[in-house]
Amino acid sequence: MTNLNRQFLFQRQHVGMSKCKVAKESVLQFVPDANIEAIHDNIMKEDYGVTFFKGFDMVLNALDNRAARSHVNRMCLAADIPLVESGTAGYLGQVTVIRKGKTECYECQPKPHQKTFPGCTIRNTPSEPIHCIVWAKHLFNQLFGEADPDEDVSPDNEDPELGDSKKDETGNVTRISTRQWAMDNKYDAKLIFTKLFHDDVKYLLTMDKLWSKRRPPVPLDYENLPTEKKETSSGTIQDQIPWSVKECGDVLTKSIEKLKNAYEASGYKDHLVWDKDDDAAMDFVASCANIRAYVYNIPQKTRFDVKSMAGNIIPAIATTNAVIAGCIVMEAIKILNNQFNKCCTVYLTKKPNPRKKILVPCQLNEPNPKCYVCSEKREIGVKLDIEKVTLKTFEDKVLKGTLNMVAPDAEIDGKGVVIISSDEDETSTNNEKVLKDLGIADGTILSCDDFLQDYNIRIFIYNCSELKDGVEFELVGDLSKLEQQNEAAEEEKVEAEEVEEVQEVEKNGNGHQNGGKLHFIP
């Protein structure tokens, strides 16, 4: 339903049907002699390898996620066929042509990553609406979805601001499984509300250090929720009308009941997947986020706003998509006419530029010689803590999540020791081991391949235990710069140690006999 405002091929009666099949039927209505094969499938499956891509004269991308874009980019490079890449965001859009060895590929320049937030901020000290929304989405997964242990919403008694933590006799921090607790209590909405917005909040209030410079949260009573609304709206769209905390509580109760029934129907086996277009899931996140925002005196948001933020949505505009689709076709015609020298990157801008143009054509950029995808020397550095990062985390978050590999294999360079295999049974027993236990050290080089993408890369491991809070790893694209940074950092460290040594000598009066001073010349 939410796709209808941005498309010109689909209508209301098509909701729930396959996009590619409906698109084919729509096109045939005005171009009856077109020869179109509609394939409803995942382009990243093994069925669509390099041979499949070589069967085309070119590929036109109209994708909506980075992983698929990266994959098609690599497949077109491997098949050596032109790719017309495109994208839109609100009023903005762009189209470019990618050709192996002649232009930048999709991955030549780094893409901005979605912002992440430290766990302690999400669990203990939210200060922005987005913190509450992220917390509510984590809670959904804790109760009904495929929960990630790192996304626990319980108060974090290891918050670095506390200086100490409460642990059990074995020295481990005790945590209760939110899922199991909820199931034991039959997903009772009142009990869940009381735990999250009363008991947990009161527990956080016992951590005095957290509130020495912050406004403390206020616990809520399920039976006596505020009915006044902090914000008013003159809008008539239901989703844009603010809720009172009492209304949030009612919406939360109803959504928990619906989600519980759906989860029970699967025998608690099929995890629910959060979807912004699932009313119960969306109501759950919107109500939870707003109740938590009220508790922490954070501005509340309408369901419409929460949906946009939770789904990371930039409202799509049909006109933008139509203009960009036209630009894709214009570039495709140039390729078919063997006029590659006339191909360009076209930007659709919000306002006219100094030359009074909204569509701005630019020359295609040359390949980045340091690109870890299309250059001959495919290398990249990864800074991480080898004593904390597990093999499973490295595979899922580095190789697949960041480097966009689909079925990676990895071995320690020079040793031939396979640590990750696309045949998961071969190495799955090592998934929970940290990298250090697998023989990976500072400076280790890993040779990684993805046969599906006909792609390989060498990864240099740099052990680093001082990454920012909440950051598990960092990619370093230009290894020469990293080496320069490391050398500079080492020099600074040595100089600092020398200065410290001199200061210590001066302090103790153990220098030259000349007044007890040691004359230090840097």
Side-chain angles (χ1 to χ4, degrees), residues 19-31:
K19 281 184 178 179
C20 66
K21 292 176 181 176
V22 173
K24 173 183 176 178
E25 292 169 4
S26 299
V27 171
L28 290 177
Q29 288 180 10
F30 56 88
V31 191

Side-chain angles (χ1 to χ4, degrees), residues 138-345:
H138 288 346
L139 176 62
F140 176 91
N141 285 330
Q142 288 290 312
L143 293 176
F144 308 107
E146 191 168 1
D148 182 337
D150 293 335
E151 294 181 351
D152 196 347
V153 298
S154 303
D156 186 359
N157 51 19
E158 276 202 319
D159 192 301
E161 289 192 57
L162 298 179
D164 56 355
S165 58
K166 299 176 181 178
K167 301 184 179 182
D168 61 19
E169 295 83 1
T170 63
N172 297 315
V173 175
T174 55
R175 285 197 188 281
I176 300 171
S177 166
T178 308
R179 172 85 53 90
Q180 191 58 52
W181 174 86
M183 291 175 69
D184 292 344
N185 286 285
K186 304 186 186 316
Y187 283 98
D188 184 294
K190 180 179 178 180
L191 290 177
I192 290 174
F193 182 100
T194 302
K195 176 189 185 307
L196 297 172
F197 303 113
H198 183 272
D199 297 350
D200 284 357
V201 176
K202 291 198 77 172
Y203 172 71
L204 280 170
L205 288 172
T206 64
M207 303 180 182
D208 298 335
K209 291 182 182 178
L210 285 181
W211 318 114
S212 61
K213 297 180 180 178
R214 294 186 183 92
R215 183 169 178 170
V218 179
L220 291 174
D221 178 2
Y222 181 81
E223 301 293 349
N224 298 288
L225 296 178
T227 57
E228 74 276 6
K229 297 181 181 180
K230 287 192 173 182
E231 297 180 23
T232 58
S233 172
S234 57
T236 56
I237 300 175
Q238 190 66 33
D239 273 10
Q240 293 181 325
I241 298 174
W243 294 336
S244 68
V245 179
K246 178 68 169 64
E247 288 172 322
C248 287
D250 294 339
V251 171
L252 177 60
T253 299
K254 291 175 183 175
S255 64
I256 288 175
E257 184 66 23
K258 290 178 183 177
L259 294 168
K260 178 191 76 170
N261 292 339
Y263 196 27
E264 279 183 349
S266 71
Y268 299 111
K269 293 180 181 178
D270 295 333
H271 297 135
L272 304 186
V273 178
W274 189 83
D275 186 340
K276 66 183 184 298
D277 295 322
D278 181 323
D279 286 340
M282 189 62 239
D283 284 343
F284 177 90
V285 167
S287 56
C288 264
N290 273 321
I291 295 169
R292 186 166 174 86
Y294 183 90
V295 166
Y296 283 87
N297 196 42
I298 297 169
Q300 292 158 269
K301 296 290 182 180
T302 64
R303 187 182 188 275
F304 180 86
D305 291 334
V306 174
K307 186 174 184 178
S308 295
M309 296 169 78
N312 198 23
I313 305 167
I314 297 174
I317 297 170
T319 308
T320 305
N321 284 353
V323 171
I324 290 301
C327 292
I328 292 171
V329 174
M330 294 302 292
E331 296 307 308
I333 290 172
K334 297 173 191 175
I335 293 171
L336 291 175
N337 288 333
N338 292 317
Q339 295 175 313
F340 185 78
N341 60 318
K342 293 186 178 181
C343 291
C344 57
T345 298

Side-chain angles (χ1 to χ4, degrees), residues 372 379-386 389 393-395 397-399 402-403 435 440-446 448 457-464 467 471-479 482 486:
Y372 61 81
E379 296 179 344
I380 198 164
V382 179
K383 295 170 68 175
L384 48 73
D385 191 335
I386 59 174
V389 175
T393 297
F394 182 78
E395 179 180 1
K397 296 188 178 181
V398 178
L399 297 185
T402 303
L403 297 179
L435 298 183
I440 295 174
D442 182 43
T444 294
I445 302 173
L446 301 178
C448 305
I457 186 172
R458 297 175 80 220
I459 298 178
F460 292 72
I461 300 296
Y462 293 90
N463 186 35
C464 179
L467 293 172
V471 176
E472 291 181 288
F473 64 91
E474 287 182 1
L475 287 191
V476 185
D478 190 340
L479 295 177
L482 178 65
N486 288 345

